[in-house]
Amino acid sequence: MHTLSFKAIARALVVTVVMTVVTAMASMLPTDSLADPPPGKGNPNKGNSGNHNGNNSVQSINNSLSNTTADLITAGITIAAARALAVDVGATGFKPLPPGIAKNLARGKPLPPGIATRNLPSNLLKGLPYYDGYQWLAAGTDLLLIHTASRVVADVLTDALR
């Protein structure tokens, strides 16, 4: 039988009391208001003061993006298979996007405005999976599956067209 020492019991008791006090104090803090910016800085009417029913814009954006990502399909083809198909039909040799633009191409994010995309050759499209409501595009060396109505990136096959 293992017995606990007095020190171990005392430590556990202290931790429990401290956590209870911290939790109680945290529950007393206001959660829906922040101070307005100092004079001359920002817009005092745009702060987080007031009742927002526990929601803020960042949380709303994150929720909408996570819901969008969950609703999107995946490419249904591996990068290696797409690369092999591109090589077979001669759709390779493209220059990559600049790193700052390339990092904005991610599943669940809207297609960045003004990004240079190209339609794919029909012989390449014939080998890629077809999904109603989606289209395949090329951006630099990346193969993109885009939700047509929302212009949200459903999948990115990185360097499939290099």
Side-chain angles (χ1 to χ4, degrees):
M1 174 190 269
H2 181 69
T3 59
L4 294 174
S5 69
F6 177 75
K7 284 184 178 180
I9 294 171
R11 268 191 236 124
L13 182 61
V14 167
V15 168
T16 303
V17 169
V18 168
M19 291 304 293
T20 303
V21 170
V22 168
T23 304
M25 290 176 69
S27 68
M28 289 188 269
L29 293 174
T31 59
D32 64 344
S33 65
L34 295 175
D36 283 333
K41 301 285 185 185
N43 185 346
N45 298 325
K46 297 269 184 174
N48 267 346
S49 58
N51 185 2
H52 294 286
N53 297 327
N55 292 331
N56 63 34
S57 60
V58 174
Q59 182 181 7
S60 298
I61 290 169
N62 287 340
N63 288 343
S64 67
L65 283 179
S66 66
N67 291 342
T68 301
T69 304
D71 296 339
L72 295 173
I73 62 169
T74 58
I77 186 171
T78 64
I79 294 173
R83 171 82 180 132
L85 179 62
V87 168
D88 286 347
V89 300
T92 59
F94 296 102
K95 293 190 180 205
L97 293 170
I101 295 173
K103 74 177 181 181
N104 290 326
L105 290 177
R107 177 174 166 78
K109 290 178 104 178
L111 192 63
I115 190 169
T117 58
R118 297 178 311 282
N119 290 324
L120 299 173
S122 60
N123 56 352
L124 178 58
L125 282 174
K126 289 176 188 173
L128 294 171
Y130 172 79
Y131 302 104
D132 194 37
Y134 291 82
Q135 74 180 89
W136 289 98
L137 293 174
T141 58
D142 300 337
L143 195 53
L144 308 176
L145 182 60
I146 305 295
H147 185 258
T148 309
S150 66
R151 303 296 289 168
V152 170
V153 177
D155 217 340
V156 179
L157 301 179
T158 307
D159 286 337
L161 305 175
R162 74 180 187 301

